[in-house]
Amino acid sequence: DGRRLLGFAGNDYLGLAAHPALREALLDAARRWGVGATAAHLLGGHRAPHAELEAALADWTGREAALLFATGYMANIGVLDALLSRGDICVQDRLNHASLLDGARLCGAVLRRYPHADADAAARRLTLRPGTAALLASDGVFSMDGDVAPLRALAAQARAAQATLLIDDAHGLGVSGPRGAGSVAAAGLDAGDVPVLIGTLGKALGTQGAFVAGPRALIEALAQFARAHVYSTAPPPAVAAATLAALHLARQGEDLRARLAARIAQLRAGAAALGLRLLPSQTPIQPLLLGAARTALAWSHALEQAGLYVPAIRPPTVPVGQARLRIVLSAAHGAEHVARLLDALAALRARADAAADPAIATP
Ligand SMILES: *Cc1c(COP(=O)(O)O)cnc(C)c1O
């Protein structure tokens, strides 16, 4: 409605979405390549910037090869559909992203979900019958909780069960690990441990799209058999060029990651001092658990009145009784921005404590 709000909602963790280098790369490439890719990858839509980006993503993540998809949602649908057939087993964390769950449902695999972050429970569901395949799939960093999957334990269990491990690192890439290579690299795991790595480009890289990285034979097979890749128009070459610029910044972005870490520490210390319950997360996703959906809505509304955009996340996105504010931090935030958020939260906390306003009272 024409008002400017300070945002704590987007997944632009490194502050690259509006970075001058990305704008320039996009404009330059648009002048050269035009806007649309005009066709699917296999029918002439695959241009030099796509090929360059795939090679750079493989190199960054320490994989042999990578394949682009138009979105992360389609990457997960496409990869699961290509790897699993009816009757194969797909074991997933209960809090996995919707696109992983939908991918398993659409391909007709037997979907078995395990309690959040419980690698032993995952192992119990990985029983293989002869002639079937088993795939274990987890988010690297969970999108609504901000916690990191027990990646080393999952890798060990997948190996023991001769199952394939797929990690969707949409929220870890660029943010954690050496040179920002993600939560899998941060856990000390390599391509042998996690043969199928999914990454999205619309979060820390600040652009749009997704990729799967892994052994060359797998990537070549996916290029032929992942229908979401084969039968969909390639993303604009200019977006691939802008993503390449983002990747260079993210790779060398230790200063950005240090800034982000400082904001995370500032928010957590400030919230603790206010007695507010942030979930135990060390990532830029810092959820404030409020319980009832109407409480979360009331807090979000009150913050908006104070000039801050922090959306309420409600069921069915999160379990009933676990509505929350999903506070997301970015290297683009300054200390003064986090201080403004903490001031507004302090005022709300005081109102809730005084019970002057039952709508915002926390349980
Ligand atoms: C955002 C997200 C996706 C979907 O990616 P899009 O490019 O937005 O379609 C997939 N998986 C996870 C874990 C995500 O957080």
Side-chain angles (χ1 to χ4, degrees):
D1 299 328
R3 276 198 309 144
R4 285 175 68 85
L5 302 176
L6 178 58
F8 289 95
N11 303 309
D12 183 22
Y13 304 126
L14 298 181
L16 297 182
H19 193 286
L22 273 70
R23 295 178 196 243
E24 283 311 310
L26 184 88
L27 290 169
D28 280 354
R31 284 192 192 95
R32 166 136 189 232
W33 299 97
V35 176
T38 75
H41 285 278
L42 295 180
L43 296 178
H46 194 73
R47 310 298 173 85
H50 297 120
E52 245 185 286
L53 176 58
E54 286 178 342
L57 288 166
D59 184 62
W60 189 31
T61 56
R63 265 66 187 167
E64 283 178 13
L67 185 74
L68 290 173
F69 284 78
T71 71
Y73 194 101
M74 295 317 289
N76 282 334
I77 301 278
V79 169
L80 292 185
D81 180 56
L83 294 183
L84 297 172
S85 308
R86 198 160 293 281
D88 288 338
I89 288 161
C90 188
V91 174
Q92 298 205 19
D93 190 291
R94 209 161 250 300
L95 295 190
N96 271 357
H97 191 265
S99 55
L100 282 172
L101 299 168
D102 292 355
R105 289 198 182 105
L106 286 170
C107 73
V110 177
L111 173 60
R112 296 181 182 157
R113 299 167 80 189
Y114 58 89
H116 179 51
D118 186 342
D120 292 332
R124 288 194 294 275
R125 288 160 176 77
L126 275 173
T127 50
L128 262 188
R129 277 176 291 121
T132 60
L135 185 119
L136 173 57
S138 174
D139 287 16
V141 175
F142 288 88
S143 52
M144 294 299 141
D145 287 52
D147 59 332
V148 180
L151 293 165
R152 295 186 67 85
L154 291 176
Q157 300 291 17
R159 188 180 295 276
Q162 294 186 299
T164 303
L165 180 59
L166 177 156
I167 298 296
D168 175 351
D169 205 21
H171 298 279
L173 205 72
V175 173
S176 61
R179 292 173 296 123
S183 64
V184 170
L189 299 174
D190 61 18
D193 304 302
V194 181
V196 190
L197 178 69
I198 307 275
T200 68
L201 312 176
K203 276 134 191 174
L205 292 180
T207 63
Q208 169 81 44
F211 69 94
V212 53
R216 188 168 302 283
L218 169 78
I219 297 304
E220 283 177 4
L222 289 173
Q224 306 288 331
F225 296 114
R227 296 165 65 87
H229 173 85
V230 174
Y231 295 106
S232 195
T233 301
V239 172
T243 308
L244 201 55
L247 192 154
H248 291 311
L249 291 168
R251 250 188 118 132
Q252 297 151 18
E254 294 314 330
D255 50 335
L256 297 174
R257 282 184 282 279
R259 246 176 95 84
L260 182 57
R263 295 296 89 79
I264 294 169
Q266 182 190 357
L267 178 72
R268 290 197 70 83
L274 292 171
L276 290 171
R277 277 201 297 169
L278 290 178
L279 291 184
S281 156
Q282 295 306 319
T283 69
I285 303 166
Q286 292 289 325
L288 174 61
L289 205 59
L290 290 166
R294 68 183 140 70
T295 310
L297 277 176
W299 277 59
S300 176
H301 184 70
L303 289 174
E304 193 183 317
Q305 300 295 302
L308 304 163
Y309 182 57
V310 191
I313 308 289
R314 295 165 282 157
T317 304
V318 292
V320 173
Q322 292 186 27
R324 64 195 66 183
L325 295 180
R326 180 175 180 264
I327 301 169
V328 185
L329 297 173
S330 165
H333 287 127
E336 69 280 13
H337 298 130
V338 174
R340 259 184 74 190
L341 173 62
L342 283 166
D343 285 348
L345 288 171
L348 260 164
R349 174 83 213 192
R351 261 171 69 193
D353 283 350
D357 187 345
I360 62 168
T362 49

